[in-house]
């Protein structure tokens, strides 16, 4: 058995020297030796605690990875590094593929809550490539930010990124103009604003409020009376209006305020609640409920 094991180990060594790794496909044969099956059997023995330390060390010298999940992670991590070199972020779209691997979907799955439970080393490895690989904000925002960051770096300072400046199919200038809108800026996460500020990006000043145009809608009889009474109270300081008094409004309309006030009080029971409230707000006690 020892001789058989030693011969299979030698076949694996030959495979590693030729291919560069110990990831042998299950169906692969090295000559007459079913090397893929043998490697799988070594993994099972190691996991079950049935392998001696000496054999384990000899296999590890050839680059043996005991966990297939760990092996797949390392392979995908290499693809992630390649993607980052080109795109400056690991917030890849779900459709992204690198080195024939569905990298975008793999990263999206790892960003799911609890996906890295039990694998703190995986999280550390991803953060070593891109500390913002799993941001608190949408990955799409991070992709645009990463492209902007590289543009600013290439310009050695704040770049004039205008709408129409496109990177990897993204209109970074248009995106940046939107981020600087005061209402959009305020809605951003604190971390998003901090990153933009580090690039010298600040929000635009709020646009001055447009003065409210005076209404041109003609006032009704009641509204004219309220306006006249308000004007009278502001000037005279009280609401005791002589019956024959006529109040002239700013636009030139004359209101027989004394008569209007007497008639309005007489028709109190027929006034709507909002009209009574308007009169009560002016200080007419009889208009109160």
């Amino acid at each position: 058995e020892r001789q058989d094991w030693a011969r299979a180990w030698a076949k694996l060594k030959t495979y590693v020297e030729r291919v560069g790794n110990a990831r042998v496909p299950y169906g692969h044969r090295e000559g007459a030796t079913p090397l893929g099956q043998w490697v799988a059997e070594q993994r099972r023995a190691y996991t079950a605690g049935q392998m001696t330390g000496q054999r384990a060390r000899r296999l590890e010298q050839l680059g043996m990875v005991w966990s297939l999940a760990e092996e797949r992670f390392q392979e995908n991590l290499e693809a992630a590094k390649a993607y980052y070199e080109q795109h400056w972020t690991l917030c890849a779209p779900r459709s992204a593929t690198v080195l024939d691997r569905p990298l975008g979907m793999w990263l999206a799955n790892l960003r799911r809550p609890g996906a890295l439970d039990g694998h703190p080393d995986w999280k550390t490895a991803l953060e070593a490539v891109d500390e913002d690989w799993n941001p608190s904000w949408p990955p799409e925002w991070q992709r645009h930010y990463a492209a902007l960051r590289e543009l600013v770096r290439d310009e050695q300072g704040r770049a004039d990124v205008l709408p129409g400046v496109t990177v990897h199919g993204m209109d970074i200038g248009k995106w940046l103009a939107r981020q600087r809108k005061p209402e959009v800026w305020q809605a951003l996460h604190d971390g998003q604003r901090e990153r933009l500020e580090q690039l010298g990006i600040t929000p635009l000043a709020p646009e001055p409020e447009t003065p409210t145009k005076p209404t041109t809608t003609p006032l009704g009889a009641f509204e004219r009376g309220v306006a006249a009474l308000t004007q009278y109270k502001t000037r005279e300081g009280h609401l005791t209006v002589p019956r024959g008094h006529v109040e002239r409004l700013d636009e030139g309309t004359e209101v027989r305020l004394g008569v209007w006030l007497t008639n309005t009080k007489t028709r109190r029971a027929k006034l709507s609640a909002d009209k009574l409230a308007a009169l009560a707000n002016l200080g007419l006690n009889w208009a109160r409920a």
Side-chain angles (χ1 to χ4, degrees):
E1 189 273 337
R2 287 195 299 271
Q3 292 176 350
D4 289 342
W5 194 94
R7 282 194 292 268
W9 182 90
K11 293 288 186 179
L12 178 60
K13 182 174 183 296
T14 299
Y15 178 90
V16 171
E17 291 172 347
R18 183 178 71 251
V19 177
N21 61 68
R23 299 187 292 273
V24 186
Y26 185 79
H28 178 75
R29 302 179 70 88
E30 195 71 12
T33 303
L35 188 60
Q37 296 181 25
W38 183 81
V39 168
E41 180 58 35
Q42 303 314 300
R43 287 198 179 100
R44 284 193 292 270
Y46 180 87
T47 302
Q50 298 171 349
M51 178 177 291
T52 65
Q54 181 181 6
R55 286 186 175 183
R57 286 191 295 273
R58 292 189 66 188
L59 288 169
E60 288 169 355
Q61 289 172 359
L62 297 181
M64 173 68 80
V65 177
W66 300 114
S67 168
L68 291 178
E70 179 66 30
E71 183 177 22
R72 284 192 295 270
F73 176 84
Q74 294 299 330
E75 292 172 347
N76 286 325
L77 184 64
E78 291 303 311
K81 293 176 181 178
Y83 184 88
Y84 185 87
E85 285 295 320
Q86 183 177 0
H87 296 270
W88 319 296
T89 178
L90 288 188
C91 287
R94 287 175 176 268
S95 59
T97 59
V98 181
L99 304 179
D100 296 325
R101 293 185 173 276
L103 181 70
M105 187 60 68
W106 179 70
L107 287 167
N109 289 336
L110 291 183
R111 279 192 283 267
R112 293 177 178 174
L116 292 180
D117 290 351
H119 297 286
D121 53 328
W122 291 6
K123 182 174 182 288
T124 300
L126 288 165
E127 290 175 344
V129 179
D130 178 9
E131 63 179 356
D132 285 329
W133 78 275
N134 186 20
S136 301
W137 43 88
E140 182 180 3
W141 190 95
Q142 186 66 23
R143 287 198 293 274
H144 284 78
Y145 165 76
L148 174 65
R149 183 186 62 210
E150 293 306 307
L151 286 174
V152 172
R153 188 190 67 176
D154 291 343
E155 295 294 330
Q156 298 182 350
R158 166 100 180 259
D160 292 328
V161 184
L162 302 176
V165 176
T166 304
V167 179
H168 298 309
M170 300 179 293
D171 191 331
I172 301 303
K174 182 178 180 181
W175 174 84
L176 178 58
R178 174 170 173 74
Q179 307 311 303
R180 297 188 67 204
K181 290 182 178 180
E183 64 275 16
V184 175
W185 184 273
Q186 289 302 319
L188 293 176
H189 190 281
D190 288 345
Q192 291 172 294
R193 289 195 293 268
E194 290 173 3
R195 282 158 178 75
L196 290 173
E197 289 170 348
Q198 289 171 359
L199 301 181
I201 307 299
T202 56
L204 297 173
E207 295 184 3
E209 295 183 3
T210 304
T212 303
K213 294 182 179 180
T215 180
T216 58
T217 304
L219 295 177
F222 180 83
E223 288 76 15
R224 286 197 301 272
V226 171
L229 185 59
T230 302
Q231 183 174 289
Y232 179 89
K233 179 183 178 182
T234 301
R235 184 181 67 251
E236 303 295 336
H238 60 80
L239 294 173
T240 305
V241 184
R243 181 173 175 76
H245 177 75
V246 176
E247 186 76 15
R248 185 181 179 86
L249 297 177
D250 291 339
E251 76 275 12
T253 304
E254 292 186 349
V255 179
R256 297 172 61 193
L257 185 58
V259 174
W260 175 85
L261 193 57
T262 300
N263 293 341
T264 301
K265 183 177 181 180
T266 302
R267 294 186 294 106
R268 180 193 185 287
K270 297 181 180 181
L271 295 178
S272 62
D274 56 334
K275 289 183 177 181
L276 287 172
L279 295 171
N281 289 336
L282 283 174
L284 292 172
N285 292 328
W286 56 262
R288 302 182 189 279

